[in-house]
Amino acid sequence: MVPHGWKCQPWREDDTGRIGGRDQVVSAVRADGLGLMIADSASESYRHHALPWPAFADAWLQRVSAMAARYRPDYYEVVKEPGWYYPMIEGYPLNPAIESVTAWTDLTQELISAVRAVSPHTQLGVAVAAASPYGRRASLSLAYPERARQLPGLDFLGFDVYGVGDTEHTLPV
């Protein structure tokens, strides 16, 4: 369970008080001898102020680099699900670049490299929805994990299961 308000908004606003609260949670996790996993979900503010793809990708690279350098997680899911981010990218749903498997895998490779540069022992992964809730964009949900799993430096592939029947949708992948 993600604590309320955990999303990356405090870093975008340089809210040192809320960042300090995150630091305390991570310190407690480490003190308890538990592993730390970070799963990227961007910033909720992008849902209200979408960014052009290049700016969105740059912000993403900065975010994962900063989080990996600060917390040195055991695991980092650098892409939650491509479809999760669509409404945060300017031009959705009309911009075809948003659905480009090549754009997503290229960005994923950059994210992997960015995290490895600051936290070389972190295990890196991506996730996709087990059953794509993104309607006509189901093809990216199938093509992306196939291409992503071949990327150098990717350690795991996850499937986000939202319902009982979702497991059967992971079989073709």
Coordinates of all heavy atoms in Angstrom, one line a residue, residues 61 64-65 78 106-120 124 152-154:
L61 N 13.0 10.6 -16.7 CA 14.4 10.3 -16.5 C 15.0 11.0 -15.3 O 15.7 10.3 -14.5 CB 15.3 10.6 -17.7 CG 15.1 9.7 -18.9 CD1 15.6 10.4 -20.2 CD2 15.8 8.4 -18.7
V64 N 13.3 9.1 -12.1 CA 13.9 7.8 -11.7 C 15.3 7.9 -11.2 O 15.8 7.2 -10.3 CB 13.8 6.7 -12.8 CG1 12.3 6.5 -13.1 CG2 14.6 7.0 -14.0
S65 N 16.1 8.8 -11.8 CA 17.5 9.0 -11.4 C 17.5 9.5 -10.0 O 18.3 9.1 -9.2 CB 18.2 10.0 -12.3 OG 18.3 9.5 -13.6
V78 N 10.4 0.6 -13.3 CA 10.6 2.0 -13.9 C 9.4 2.3 -14.9 O 9.2 3.5 -15.2 CB 11.9 2.1 -14.7 CG1 13.1 2.0 -13.7 CG2 12.1 1.0 -15.8
D106 N 12.6 2.4 -26.3 CA 13.7 3.3 -26.3 C 13.8 4.0 -24.9 O 14.8 4.1 -24.3 CB 13.7 4.3 -27.4 CG 14.0 3.7 -28.8 OD1 14.4 2.5 -28.8 OD2 13.8 4.4 -29.8
L107 N 12.6 4.6 -24.5 CA 12.6 5.3 -23.2 C 12.9 4.3 -22.1 O 13.7 4.6 -21.2 CB 11.2 5.9 -23.0 CG 11.0 6.5 -21.6 CD1 12.0 7.7 -21.4 CD2 9.6 7.1 -21.5
T108 N 12.4 3.1 -22.2 CA 12.7 2.1 -21.1 C 14.2 1.8 -21.0 O 14.7 1.7 -19.9 CB 11.9 0.8 -21.4 OG1 10.5 1.1 -21.4 CG2 12.2 -0.2 -20.3
Q109 N 14.8 1.7 -22.1 CA 16.3 1.5 -22.1 C 17.0 2.7 -21.5 O 17.9 2.5 -20.7 CB 16.8 1.2 -23.5 CG 18.3 0.8 -23.5 CD 18.5 -0.5 -22.8 OE1 18.1 -1.6 -23.2 NE2 19.2 -0.5 -21.6
E110 N 16.6 3.9 -21.7 CA 17.1 5.1 -21.1 C 16.9 5.1 -19.6 O 17.8 5.4 -18.8 CB 16.6 6.3 -21.7 CG 17.0 6.6 -23.2 CD 16.4 7.9 -23.7 OE1 16.7 8.9 -23.1 OE2 15.7 7.8 -24.7
L111 N 15.7 4.6 -19.2 CA 15.4 4.6 -17.8 C 16.3 3.6 -17.1 O 16.8 3.8 -16.0 CB 13.9 4.2 -17.6 CG 12.9 5.3 -18.1 CD1 11.5 4.7 -18.1 CD2 12.9 6.5 -17.2
I112 N 16.4 2.4 -17.7 CA 17.3 1.4 -17.1 C 18.7 1.9 -17.0 O 19.3 1.8 -15.9 CB 17.3 0.1 -18.0 CG1 16.0 -0.6 -18.0 CG2 18.5 -0.8 -17.7 CD1 15.8 -1.7 -19.1
S113 N 19.3 2.6 -18.0 CA 20.6 3.1 -17.9 C 20.7 4.2 -16.9 O 21.7 4.3 -16.1 CB 21.0 3.7 -19.3 OG 21.0 2.7 -20.3
A114 N 19.7 5.0 -16.7 CA 19.7 6.1 -15.7 C 19.8 5.6 -14.3 O 20.5 6.0 -13.5 CB 18.5 7.0 -15.9
V115 N 19.0 4.5 -14.0 CA 19.0 4.0 -12.7 C 20.3 3.2 -12.5 O 20.9 3.4 -11.4 CB 17.8 3.0 -12.5 CG1 17.9 2.3 -11.2 CG2 16.5 3.8 -12.5
R116 N 20.7 2.5 -13.4 CA 22.0 1.7 -13.3 C 23.2 2.6 -13.0 O 24.1 2.3 -12.2 CB 22.3 0.9 -14.5 CG 21.4 -0.3 -14.7 CD 22.1 -1.6 -14.1 NE 21.2 -2.7 -14.4 CZ 20.4 -3.3 -13.6 NH1 20.4 -2.9 -12.3 NH2 19.7 -4.3 -14.0
A117 N 23.1 3.8 -13.5 CA 24.2 4.8 -13.3 C 24.4 5.2 -11.9 O 25.5 5.5 -11.4 CB 24.1 6.0 -14.3
V118 N 23.2 5.3 -11.2 CA 23.3 5.8 -9.8 C 23.0 4.7 -8.7 O 23.3 4.9 -7.6 CB 22.3 7.0 -9.6 CG1 22.7 8.1 -10.5 CG2 20.8 6.5 -9.8
S119 N 22.5 3.6 -9.2 CA 22.2 2.5 -8.2 C 22.4 1.2 -8.9 O 21.4 0.5 -9.3 CB 20.7 2.6 -7.7 OG 20.5 1.7 -6.7
P120 N 23.7 0.8 -9.2 CA 24.0 -0.4 -10.0 C 23.4 -1.7 -9.5 O 23.3 -2.6 -10.4 CB 25.5 -0.4 -10.1 CG 26.0 0.5 -9.0 CD 24.9 1.4 -8.7
L124 N 15.8 -4.2 -11.9 CA 14.9 -3.3 -12.7 C 13.9 -4.1 -13.5 O 14.2 -5.1 -14.0 CB 15.8 -2.4 -13.7 CG 16.7 -1.5 -13.0 CD1 17.8 -1.0 -13.9 CD2 16.0 -0.4 -12.3
P152 N 18.7 -5.1 -22.6 CA 19.8 -5.4 -21.7 C 19.5 -4.6 -20.4 O 19.2 -3.5 -20.4 CB 21.0 -4.8 -22.4 CG 20.6 -4.5 -23.8 CD 19.1 -4.4 -23.9
G153 N 19.7 -5.3 -19.3 CA 19.6 -4.7 -18.0 C 18.3 -4.8 -17.3 O 18.1 -4.5 -16.2
L154 N 17.3 -5.4 -18.1 CA 15.9 -5.5 -17.5 C 16.0 -6.9 -16.7 O 16.3 -7.9 -17.3 CB 14.8 -5.6 -18.5 CG 13.4 -5.5 -18.0 CD1 13.1 -4.1 -17.4 CD2 12.4 -5.9 -19.0

